[in-house]
Amino acid sequence: MSWEGAFHEMKAIYGEGIAAAVRSQRFIKVLHAELYAQLDARLTARARSEGVSVRLEAPVHGSFKDKNVDVAVLHPVNGPLILIGVRSQMSSVGKNVLTYTQDIIGEAVSLQDRFPMAVFAYTYLMPLHPSDRDVPLDYQRYARIFSNISGRAGAGYKSERGRYDHFAFALVDFDRDPPELREDLVVEAARGVDLCLTTLVDRCIEGFAERNPWLEYFY
């Protein structure tokens, strides 16, 4: 597919009734599928021959709680290589973002305790114009929040907990036809930190290659 196609499909699902779309997870699974497709397309022949695969809803053991990771690249012997969590929030944004962010940080802590060398990423989708708000979305604030939990790097990255290697703030204008990914607004709001969805897979693969230069698992 493509990100444009994914958002077009998500808009159609949302139009059928958000309650059913959320309950069935049809809405968010479109994002899962696109990330899966992008990662799977980048696996090398060597990776496939060694059993490396991309999995959806992969059960991964954390340090204090098991987690079904939305999109995961796994080695059959050595475990998680890249782990990507995904969340969408189409309404009640102001009420729940901080609570969800705490949960996101907790997920990172638990999984990083067990797999410190894995690349950890997260995608958070919000609509530019939530249907239940009378005022514009304060996307600048959320970009700053996400910037603060992104950027796990440097020589001491293996001892750092609760910060993701890479984060994507998917700010989408679903009022447009086709829906538009407003990365221009995200870039303006988070200068110095890459929160772009369109670069997320590239950033994850580059991060993996930096940590594992002897493993040619991705194109």
Side-chain angles (χ1 to χ4, degrees):
M1 200 185 285
S2 66
W3 284 123
E4 182 177 339
F7 297 135
H8 187 273
E9 183 176 346
M10 293 177 78
K11 181 175 181 177
I13 293 171
Y14 188 82
E16 295 174 9
I18 190 57
V22 170
R23 189 164 51 249
S24 68
Q25 293 194 322
R26 286 176 58 211
F27 186 81
I28 194 67
K29 284 183 177 181
V30 178
L31 281 182
H32 296 182
E34 180 60 25
L35 288 167
Y36 173 98
Q38 290 189 21
L39 285 166
D40 186 69
R42 301 286 297 274
L43 288 178
T44 62
R46 175 185 171 184
R48 296 185 191 280
S49 70
E50 294 184 13
V52 175
S53 63
V54 185
R55 295 275 303 277
L56 295 175
E57 295 294 323
V60 178
H61 298 308
S63 61
F64 58 88
K65 182 180 180 182
D66 292 348
K67 169 65 178 175
N68 287 339
V69 178
D70 297 312
V71 187
V73 181
L74 305 174
H75 187 282
V77 175
N78 296 293
L81 307 179
I82 298 175
L83 301 176
I84 304 179
V86 183
R87 178 178 291 277
S88 65
Q89 191 173 357
M90 297 295 289
S91 61
S92 301
V93 175
K95 296 179 181 179
N96 296 320
V97 169
L98 294 181
T99 298
Y100 290 155
T101 301
Q102 289 179 330
D103 293 341
I104 290 168
I105 293 171
E107 290 176 15
V109 171
S110 177
L111 294 171
Q112 286 166 351
D113 279 346
R114 288 289 300 269
F115 307 101
M117 286 189 67
V119 175
F120 292 85
Y122 210 93
T123 298
Y124 205 126
L125 180 142
M126 292 183 190
L128 182 60
H129 306 289
S131 59
D132 63 341
R133 290 178 65 90
D134 296 326
V135 296
L137 183 78
D138 187 4
Y139 63 85
Q140 296 96 335
R141 179 191 180 208
Y142 304 129
R144 291 193 297 271
I145 290 172
F146 299 148
S147 296
N148 287 333
I149 59 172
S150 178
R152 175 175 173 256
Y157 78 91
K158 284 187 283 188
S159 62
E160 188 171 359
R161 301 289 184 268
R163 183 185 298 271
Y164 285 82
D165 299 290
H166 305 290
F167 208 99
F169 180 18
L171 182 65
V172 183
D173 187 350
F174 284 102
D175 289 352
R176 296 197 177 189
D177 194 13
E180 183 178 357
L181 179 64
R182 296 302 306 272
E183 289 193 333
D184 56 322
L185 299 179
V186 173
V187 169
E188 180 68 24
R191 293 186 177 275
V193 180
D194 189 350
L195 296 179
C196 291
L197 177 64
T198 55
T199 65
L200 182 65
V201 168
D202 285 339
R203 287 185 278 136
C204 288
I205 290 174
E206 289 169 4
F208 177 84
E210 288 175 3
R211 292 176 187 176
N212 306 273
W214 61 93
L215 296 176
E216 298 178 349
Y217 283 170
F218 298 96
Y219 291 108

